[in-house]
Amino acid sequence: MALRNIVTEGDPILAKKSRPVEKFDGRLAELLDDMKQTLYHAEGAGLAAVQVGVLRRVVVVDVGDGYLELINPEIIDAQGEQRENEGCLSVPGKYGATLRPAVVKVKAQNREGKWCVYQGEGLKARCFCHEIDHLDGILFTQRLAPGETLQSSNA
Ligand code: NI
């Protein structure tokens, strides 16, 4: 296992679309193990592979209720709306309120390739949406709620 460097805003890779995972092999397991270590080291709630420079549809999440690995994730249902502050390990020192669904259902494969369904509300729903956006090259700064501006957390 190894810590990987987290790329930050301004790096053009963050705007690129990630490709689906097709091989559930040792290389994927190594990427996931490294992403898990990098997520906990950075004290984040979620991390997408593109944030460590790998354009594959891989996400790791832990909002405090357990660690999840989501491969080729897709939102299959979304209900309601929430407007809450959000930040990103790739946009250090900044936050802002976004509009996200209140509850989402996501289907994703695990590291063995098996499909599973996950439900998240509140922070977990925001995190699922935020990380899946990364796979499509979208940052939370593009999802700010109407009238909202990016704030600096060092101010
Ligand atoms: Ni992020």
Side-chain angles (χ1 to χ4, degrees):
M1 275 207 292
L3 280 180
R4 303 221 184 175
N5 284 326
I6 297 177
V7 300
T8 52
E9 207 185 6
D11 189 318
I13 198 170
L14 288 171
K16 292 189 177 165
K17 204 170 157 77
S18 295
R19 294 183 301 276
V21 170
E22 285 157 9
K23 285 187 196 158
F24 294 80
D25 57 7
R27 214 169 147 194
L28 174 66
E30 191 183 341
L31 172 65
L32 285 160
D33 291 343
D34 288 357
M35 285 175 65
K36 180 180 183 182
Q37 194 183 8
T38 305
L39 175 72
Y40 286 118
H41 183 260
E43 299 180 338
L47 186 70
V50 61
Q51 294 181 274
V52 295
V54 177
L55 283 169
R56 289 288 177 182
R57 300 186 82 80
V58 175
V59 160
V60 296
V61 166
D62 187 347
V63 297
D65 65 350
Y67 171 72
L68 292 177
E69 296 176 341
L70 308 177
I71 297 151
N72 300 326
E74 289 170 42
I75 293 171
I76 54 172
D77 191 42
Q79 303 287 335
E81 192 175 75
Q82 56 173 322
R83 181 184 180 131
E84 293 290 340
N85 280 330
E86 204 166 307
C88 177
L89 294 173
S90 293
V91 190
K94 303 270 175 62
Y95 69 93
T98 59
L99 281 185
R100 299 285 192 188
V103 183
V104 296
K105 211 176 268 185
V106 171
K107 81 168 187 181
Q109 285 167 284
N110 67 13
R111 63 165 72 196
E112 280 85 42
K114 184 177 174 248
W115 286 98
C116 306
V117 174
Y118 304 92
Q119 183 158 307
E121 56 185 86
L123 174 58
K124 199 167 191 175
R126 292 205 297 285
C127 193
F128 284 160
C129 295
H130 177 119
E131 300 311 327
I132 291 170
D133 268 354
H134 272 302
L135 305 182
D136 294 319
I138 298 165
L139 294 177
F140 83 94
T141 52
Q142 294 160 261
R143 296 279 194 204
L144 293 178
E148 191 68 26
T149 53
L150 207 54
Q151 310 286 311
S152 171
S153 49
N154 322 310

